[in-house]
Amino acid sequence: MSIAVVHSPVFSPSPVFSKSSASSPIGRSLYASSSLSPSTVTPPPSTLCPLTLRRPIQTRNIILNGINEEPICSTSSTTTTTTPVLKRKRPARINIPMAALSFEPSLQTPRDGDRLDEVEVEGEGYSVYCKRGKRGAMEDRYSAFVDHQQGSKQAFFGVFDGHGGVKAAEFAARNMGRNIMNKVGVRSEEDIEAAVKEGYLTTDEEFLKQNVRGGASCVTALIHKGKLVVSNAGDCRAVMSRGGIAEVLTLDHRPSRESEKERIEALGGYVDCCRGVWRIQGSLAVSRGIGDAQLKKWVIAEPETKTVFTEPDFEFLILASDGVWDKVSNQEAVDTVRPLCIGVDKPHPLSACKELVNLALTRGSFDDISVMVIQLSHFVQ
């Protein structure tokens, strides 16, 4: 994972909220990854190896970022004067998040004051690339789990686009997969879509109890016993490549969508166009998602879900936040990713993620952008 700290004097609110109704606090970044031990701070060699020693010292190993280094200095126990022997240190290990091989996420939180500029991850059968936008701290999050404990490969993947703060996206990344799998475990195979729905609603209920503002759009993919179950609540989207043809598996939930507009108005709300964007109550530009307590009467967490049986011509699945889809069409996204993933001796899905993000950036996207490419052939039975 490449992380750069960027100093910016200007922070503006999330574009999902109108300026008059909400402002976005700067959140802390959190991604599903393996637990990483903090680096052990080693004093400079000058303090470890004085030129003159009055007593013998014991040889010991210095641990640096989990790497056993040779002793920085050593001496015989029978000598009273030591000339230091300095060994060149290896560079510190780069901490790259890896997915946990279970449905229980392990998480890494940056130190106070840190801000992620980009995140790149390569896992088992998937790759992720996230790029901070130009409006403030990154509010996108993701989660990814692969499980081998049931005799076949199962997996859960998600992309979460926060607005009005990062807390809802962080909470969904931590809890959505576990909540869905808990429901799947107690329901029959025929009720898997109902289990996913309950997992979304449970995650929403748990987050609302935190009494924290903000919300998050969600798109998830569950691979379970030969089925691909794709769900969304909000404007994150899932697009699959099937023999090179883009197949859209989700529909965006925005107030401009006629069915969503009718649902909101039937509940006593209103939808209007504010500075060129359709919003609920003149405020929010998405109509479903996790959180948004102040608009919960109209912004529901119930997902729409599509289930298909995995087939050999399923090539890859793209999960991405609206920072991509506002600038790139579904087929363009497939055409950008496919040359780096299909028909090559060594696929480069992480490079494909970056190419898609860069395409959106060159077309003027200012939003946070997250792209996950899942190689479906890795999970076909």
Side-chain angles (χ1 to χ4, degrees):
M1 175 176 69
S2 173
I3 301 178
V5 178
V6 178
H7 300 282
S8 175
V10 178
F11 299 96
S12 58
S14 167
V16 181
F17 279 114
S18 67
K19 183 176 181 181
S20 60
S21 60
S23 61
S24 172
I26 303 303
R28 298 299 172 202
S29 300
L30 186 63
Y31 288 84
S33 65
S34 63
S35 297
L36 300 172
S37 301
S39 302
T40 299
V41 178
T42 306
S46 59
T47 62
L48 289 172
C49 304
L51 293 178
T52 302
L53 299 178
R54 298 297 183 183
R55 59 181 179 179
I57 66 172
Q58 298 296 320
T59 299
R60 63 190 183 95
N61 285 347
I62 306 300
I63 307 300
L64 180 63
N65 278 356
I67 303 174
N68 283 317
E69 295 287 343
E70 296 298 325
I72 293 180
C73 61
S74 63
T75 183
S76 170
S77 61
T78 60
T79 60
T80 59
T81 304
T82 301
T83 300
V85 180
L86 300 179
K87 180 178 178 63
R88 185 174 181 179
K89 301 177 190 175
R90 302 177 192 173
R93 178 180 295 173
I94 300 174
N95 291 330
I96 300 178
M98 300 300 292
L101 298 181
S102 69
F103 286 95
E104 184 67 29
S106 54
L107 302 162
Q108 179 188 21
T109 306
R111 297 183 301 271
D112 289 345
D114 286 356
R115 185 170 65 175
L116 293 181
D117 182 62
E118 60 181 4
V119 172
E120 54 185 64
V121 177
E122 288 190 287
E124 182 182 355
Y126 73 94
S127 294
V128 184
Y129 184 66
C130 308
K131 182 76 172 178
R132 183 176 64 84
K134 298 181 180 180
R135 295 188 173 105
M138 188 188 293
E139 295 178 331
D140 283 6
R141 298 293 182 266
Y142 79 92
S143 58
F145 317 102
V146 179
D147 187 16
H148 297 273
Q149 297 178 1
Q150 304 297 323
S152 61
K153 292 178 182 176
Q154 298 184 98
F156 174 84
F157 304 100
V159 169
F160 309 95
D161 182 0
H163 52 261
V166 74
K167 296 299 184 181
E170 286 183 349
F171 191 89
R174 286 176 179 267
N175 298 287
M176 182 76 79
R178 182 181 64 251
N179 286 337
I180 288 176
M181 291 311 301
N182 286 344
K183 302 300 182 181
V184 169
V186 298
R187 284 186 169 271
S188 66
E189 291 302 310
E190 291 73 22
D191 290 335
I192 193 167
E193 291 189 10
V196 172
K197 174 182 174 180
E198 290 181 16
Y200 269 70
L201 296 178
T202 298
T203 303
D204 184 54
E205 291 171 4
E206 292 174 348
F207 177 71
L208 292 175
K209 292 177 182 178
Q210 307 294 313
N211 293 320
V212 179
R213 68 185 302 277
S217 295
C218 313
V219 61
T220 61
L222 172 65
I223 299 173
H224 180 71
K225 296 185 178 180
K227 294 179 181 177
L228 173 62
V229 185
V230 178
S231 309
N232 77 307
D235 57 4
C236 294
R237 190 183 305 171
V239 176
M240 181 175 66
S241 175
R242 189 168 189 168
I245 304 301
E247 185 171 326
V248 185
L249 300 182
T250 62
L251 294 176
D252 299 349
H253 295 125
R254 298 189 178 186
S256 56
R257 180 175 155 184
E258 190 61 31
S259 60
E260 290 294 279
K261 181 175 181 292
E262 292 175 358
R263 177 183 64 79
I264 294 164
E265 291 176 344
L267 293 171
Y270 68 89
V271 173
D272 61 0
C273 189
C274 179
R275 291 189 290 276
V277 179
W278 289 95
R279 299 180 183 273
I280 299 174
Q281 309 296 101
S283 175
L284 191 63
V286 293
S287 56
R288 298 195 190 193
I290 301 300
D292 296 306
Q294 74 281 12
L295 297 170
K296 199 72 257 179
K297 182 177 180 180
W298 308 287
V299 182
I300 61 176
E302 180 178 339
E304 289 187 302
T305 299
K306 183 172 184 177
T307 301
V308 294
F309 287 93
T310 56
E311 298 181 10
D313 62 343
F314 288 8
E315 295 177 338
F316 54 85
L317 178 68
I318 303 171
L319 304 182
S321 57
D322 66 321
V324 169
W325 306 117
D326 287 344
K327 301 296 181 181
V328 181
S329 72
N330 303 319
Q331 188 61 51
E332 285 177 322
V334 167
D335 292 343
T336 300
V337 170
R338 196 168 189 266
L340 293 167
C341 293
I342 304 299
V344 293
D345 293 335
K346 185 178 180 181
H348 295 281
L350 180 58
S351 297
C353 292
K354 292 181 179 181
E355 285 291 325
L356 186 50
V357 169
N358 289 334
L359 178 59
L361 289 174
T362 59
R363 293 184 176 180
S365 178
F366 288 89
D367 201 356
D368 297 336
I369 304 177
S370 293
V371 172
M372 178 182 290
V373 172
I374 303 160
Q375 297 164 280
L376 295 175
S377 60
H378 185 80
F379 301 97
V380 173
Q381 303 296 320

